[in-house]
Amino acid sequence: MGKAACCEKHGVKRGAWTPQEDKALVDYINNHGHGSWRTLPNRAGLVRCGKSCRLRWINYLRPDIKRGPFTNEEESTIIQFHAMLGNRWAAIASQLPGRTDNEIKNYWNTHLKKHLSRSDHSRSAPDPKIIKSESPSTRHMVQWESARVEAEARLSMESPLLNSWSTSNKTYTDCYLQLWHSEVGDSFRMIKGKEEGVVMCQGHVSQEASSSILESCSDVQVKNTSTFAKMTQQQEGSTYKPNLEDADTGGGIESGNYEFFDASESAFKNLLEVPDGDIGFWDTLAVS
DNA sequence: AATCCCCGCAACCGCATTAGA
DNA sequence: TTCTAATGCGGTTGCGGGGAT
């Protein structure tokens, strides 16, 4: 894979951007669009690499960037989606119009990670070192389990934080749970069973298992799935590129036009990121 | 007042993925 | 189908500001 020439360092300015550079970049993009990032610096009269220009525009200069501190709602969204997606900052950012992946990543690393690790300790969370030494499937189990615990906790208690949420947010609060409870989860279980010659319901990953996970939240409204449909589409084929227009036009979380169940088993698999299709950890999950 | 230390954020780096020739 | 350029993404770094000593 050839490395982009824009990464070459000679003759290219680095470091903090000056107001003049910002203006040149904004003016150029406003007038011409960014086009090819690689050639943009020359065209805009900037002594920067295209990558740097792109980053500056996306993370700072774009007119639709939302500035200021994160709201409780945004914070909860980040925590929730991070529980499901891990460090997929771009995917998480797509759920927060006006926020960039970089901003969310920074916010997570500087605020939420500490905050959560503190509260984890108070709940005697497992030692990270131990988790690190576990097999990949075990790590996924831990991830899912923690997501489940969090989801159930959210559903079972009316925290002050949640009270501040809009009702629409509550409906998509637990797409993780919805997903598993849906036909996608069903087909995933069925197909995986066929593929691997395993009868999934022999006390393994079964409807029983999923329902045991989900029983406590049977009142979840299975609607408003567009958000997750987009996420899965994005992960599966990268055909969906999240953009701010989605939110602007109400096509984001609020609109329910995406056909969620088109997100296939493979999308679900992608979500899980189960190494080598190893879903044995569900056994444990079902037992617990 | 000076210095040190910590924290937050912007920017960079390198790898992965995608597009297109 | 293969190769290369371009773009996207996540991890990491380094600088500046503010609080502590």
Side-chain angles (χ1 to χ4, degrees):
Chain A
M1 193 84 36
K3 187 158 266 308
C6 69
C7 291
E8 290 169 8
K9 293 179 181 70
H10 41 266
V12 173
K13 193 180 171 200
R14 302 172 66 217
W17 281 64
T18 65
Q20 290 76 23
E21 287 176 312
D22 282 347
K23 187 176 183 310
L25 182 58
V26 170
D27 286 348
Y28 183 86
I29 291 177
N30 283 341
N31 290 329
H32 306 94
H34 62 74
S36 162
W37 287 111
R38 186 180 156 78
T39 57
L40 183 144
N42 275 342
R43 288 182 278 130
L46 288 161
V47 195
R48 294 271 181 177
C49 76
K51 221 171 179 179
S52 178
C53 293
R54 177 183 159 271
L55 216 59
R56 182 65 178 170
W57 173 256
I58 288 175
N59 288 335
Y60 200 81
L61 297 174
R62 241 174 24 179
D64 43 13
I65 294 284
K66 191 195 277 184
R67 296 262 152 225
F70 281 76
T71 64
N72 287 341
E73 183 178 330
E74 287 173 321
E75 189 177 303
S76 301
T77 305
I78 293 169
I79 293 168
Q80 176 190 349
F81 278 94
H82 187 272
M84 293 186 292
L85 300 169
N87 295 358
R88 290 186 177 157
W89 307 116
I92 296 170
S94 71
Q95 308 306 315
L96 294 167
R99 301 294 189 182
T100 68
D101 53 352
N102 205 34
E103 197 177 8
I104 291 169
K105 180 171 59 182
N106 283 334
Y107 187 67
W108 176 267
N109 287 330
T110 56
H111 294 89
L112 298 180
K113 203 155 90 175
K114 287 175 200 163
H115 177 72
L116 289 177
S117 71
R118 244 183 281 134
S119 50
D120 275 357
H121 272 104
S122 67
R123 284 184 291 168
S124 57
D127 186 346
K129 287 174 195 160
I130 294 171
I131 294 176
K132 208 170 182 177
S133 68
E134 303 279 9
S135 68
S137 60
T138 308
R139 284 201 299 275
H140 278 282
M141 183 190 76
V142 171
Q143 254 185 324
W144 271 91
E145 180 66 358
S146 65
R148 179 183 70 81
V149 168
E150 190 185 318
E152 288 191 4
R154 272 199 306 277
L155 287 163
S156 62
M157 70 179 185
E158 294 283 327
S159 73
L161 190 64
L162 276 181
N163 282 334
S164 70
W165 279 38
S166 69
T167 48
S168 65
N169 276 327
K170 283 184 180 178
T171 61
Y172 83 98
T173 297
D174 292 299
C175 34
Y176 153 75
L177 294 168
Q178 293 170 23
L179 185 65
W180 183 254
H181 205 35
S182 71
E183 290 172 31
V184 176
D186 289 346
S187 62
F188 172 70
R189 292 185 289 275
M190 296 299 288
I191 294 168
K192 287 309 288 186
K194 281 179 190 169
E195 275 179 0
E196 296 173 12
V198 173
V199 182
M200 304 297 291
C201 289
Q202 288 180 340
H204 294 84
V205 181
S206 60
Q207 297 287 8
E208 196 181 309
S210 66
S211 61
S212 75
I213 290 169
L214 294 159
E215 264 169 11
S216 63
C217 49
S218 56
D219 57 339
V220 172
Q221 296 177 50
V222 184
K223 65 176 185 180
N224 218 336
T225 52
S226 64
T227 302
F228 217 93
K230 286 182 177 184
M231 281 160 44
T232 50
Q233 282 180 1
Q234 183 187 350
Q235 306 211 347
E236 182 175 22
S238 293
T239 50
Y240 171 70
K241 297 290 180 190
N243 57 44
L244 296 168
E245 285 79 1
D246 287 341
D248 293 342
T249 56
I253 290 165
E254 306 302 334
S255 81
N257 292 334
Y258 269 85
E259 199 48 65
F260 175 58
F261 297 118
D262 283 348
S264 59
E265 168 259 348
S266 67
F268 190 69
K269 209 161 63 183
N270 282 337
L271 172 71
L272 284 166
E273 275 191 347
V274 180
D276 303 316
D278 177 8
I279 57 171
F281 63 82
W282 279 107
D283 298 1
T284 321
L285 205 60
V287 170
S288 68

